Amino acid sequence: MKSTLTRPGTKVSPKLFLFNVLNGVAFAIVAGLIPNAILGELLKALAPHFKIAVVLHQITTAIQFSVPMLVGALVGHRFKFSPLGIAVVSASSFIGSGAAVFKNGAWVITGIGDLVNTMLAASIASLLILFFGERFGSLNLIILPTFVAVFTGFVTLVTLPYVKLVTAAIGTMINTFTEMQPVLMCMLIAIVYSMTIISPISTVATSMAIGIAGLAAGFASEGITAAEAVLAFGTWKVNRLGVPATIILGGVKMMLPNMVRYPIMLVPIVTTAAISGIIGSFIGVGGTKESAGFGIIGLVGPINAFRFLHIDDVWLKVLLVFIAFFVVPFTVAYIAHFVYMKIFKLYTKDIFKFLG
């Protein structure tokens, strides 16, 4: 049995290495969390009435537990590792995530673990595989799973408690700031997420990692929605219908090449995010760490915002959520394009021609 990994000492630039890890994490997070994010609330509501809804909800919840291994598999795929290399990175990521805990003489799956530590495990395992490559020939079948997975697992289990402390502290700090200065922080969080969604960094992974929740999670969704609205209007007349449609359905990162070449497009995005975040703070838009990174994709943001509004009138809640996620961001995005293109002439519509 021959397993081709890569040449010993294969060189990968730091930029490409980071991009491969982040890209792998982004796809793994979406694949693992989207099913429950989209169907979870609906299935919960149907569970008391239909037994099949209970089973389906259990399935969508269980899919989330695969995230650490999906991270490893997709990171390994980005590096073009062999099946053996992908398996080793997957195993390392699973152990490093801390998702499996030994309690009372049995292993227990506690969730998806810590995503930052999972990324660290995938990075260490990938570095070791890139270093060793085919150095040991057929012995790779024994050495790589034994050495790389065990060594990486040990190192990341040591770092896990400290990484958890840091990520939990960041999440607590952000959530506390939203309570102390809600208007200012809602605007800043919305701006940060509006720029992050168009970058190689996964907003879902970031949200899960730092444990953002409550108002902060709602503002994050507002920021992502603002970016989607700006890019949808921007790409509407200079691309085929598939481009804006894909953006609305979640393919915002496809515009990353355009943003790198024309960073001026961040101006309307930031403007829309800031205004949407401020209005969202007055409405009281909330969310969870699972919903914060999606925006209006799959209506994940609006559904969770609806749950967090403490208003008895159901139709009023629906109206406020609709205003926060559709009326405000899309109206502001349209006005921002008009002001920046027609009045200030900062850019033309051609910067939104899809470069991919």
Side-chain angles (χ1 to χ4, degrees), residues 6-22:
T6 182
R7 295 188 303 276
T10 298
K11 292 183 179 180
V12 176
S13 68
K15 180 180 179 180
L16 179 59
F17 185 91
L18 179 62
F19 182 80
N20 284 344
V21 172
L22 293 175

Side-chain angles (χ1 to χ4, degrees), residues 308-338:
F308 275 83
L309 281 178
H310 301 295
I311 300 175
D312 294 330
D313 191 328
V314 174
W315 289 110
L316 178 58
K317 290 172 68 173
V318 171
L319 177 62
L320 291 175
V321 170
F322 183 76
I323 291 173
F325 282 91
F326 295 97
V327 175
V328 173
F330 283 89
T331 301
V332 176
Y334 182 83
I335 295 173
H337 275 307
F338 178 82

Side-chain angles (χ1 to χ4, degrees), residues 142-348:
I142 298 173
I143 293 175
L144 290 181
T146 304
F147 176 76
V148 174
V150 173
F151 175 78
T152 303
F154 175 77
V155 171
T156 50
L157 282 181
V158 172
T159 62
L160 181 60
Y162 304 101
V163 172
K164 280 185 174 180
L165 284 175
V166 174
T167 53
I170 293 173
T172 300
M173 180 179 65
I174 292 175
N175 293 328
T176 301
F177 281 166
T178 58
E179 296 173 1
M180 296 171 57
Q181 296 289 341
V183 176
L184 175 62
M185 287 306 299
C186 75
M187 181 177 67
L188 294 178
I189 292 172
I191 289 173
V192 169
Y193 269 74
S194 71
M195 294 188 292
T196 303
I197 189 62
I198 199 176
S199 76
I201 301 173
S202 168
T203 53
V204 180
T206 301
S207 303
M208 294 292 291
I210 66 176
I212 191 172
L215 292 175
F219 304 150
S221 290
E222 287 277 2
I224 294 171
T225 303
E228 292 170 337
V230 170
L231 294 175
F233 278 126
T235 57
W236 182 261
K237 293 184 178 180
V238 292
N239 297 282
R240 293 182 177 180
L241 180 60
V243 174
T246 301
I247 289 172
I248 292 296
L249 292 174
V252 181
K253 292 186 186 298
M254 66 187 290
M255 296 301 291
L256 175 59
N258 295 70
M259 189 270 287
V260 173
R261 181 172 294 184
Y262 307 109
I264 192 66
M265 70 168 53
L266 289 175
V267 175
I269 290 176
V270 168
T271 301
T272 305
I275 296 175
S276 298
I278 291 174
I279 295 177
S281 70
F282 290 111
I283 293 176
V285 174
T288 65
K289 62 181 180 180
E290 290 84 4
S291 70
F294 289 103
I296 58 172
I297 301 168
L299 297 180
V300 175
I303 289 173
N304 280 272
F306 179 86
R307 290 172 52 214
F308 275 83
L309 281 178
H310 301 295
I311 300 175
D312 294 330
D313 191 328
V314 174
W315 289 110
L316 178 58
K317 290 172 68 173
V318 171
L319 177 62
L320 291 175
V321 170
F322 183 76
I323 291 173
F325 282 91
F326 295 97
V327 175
V328 173
F330 283 89
T331 301
V332 176
Y334 182 83
I335 295 173
H337 275 307
F338 178 82
V339 171
Y340 291 130
M341 279 199 299
K342 303 297 183 181
I343 298 178
F344 294 120
K345 301 186 184 300
L346 291 182
Y347 57 85
T348 66

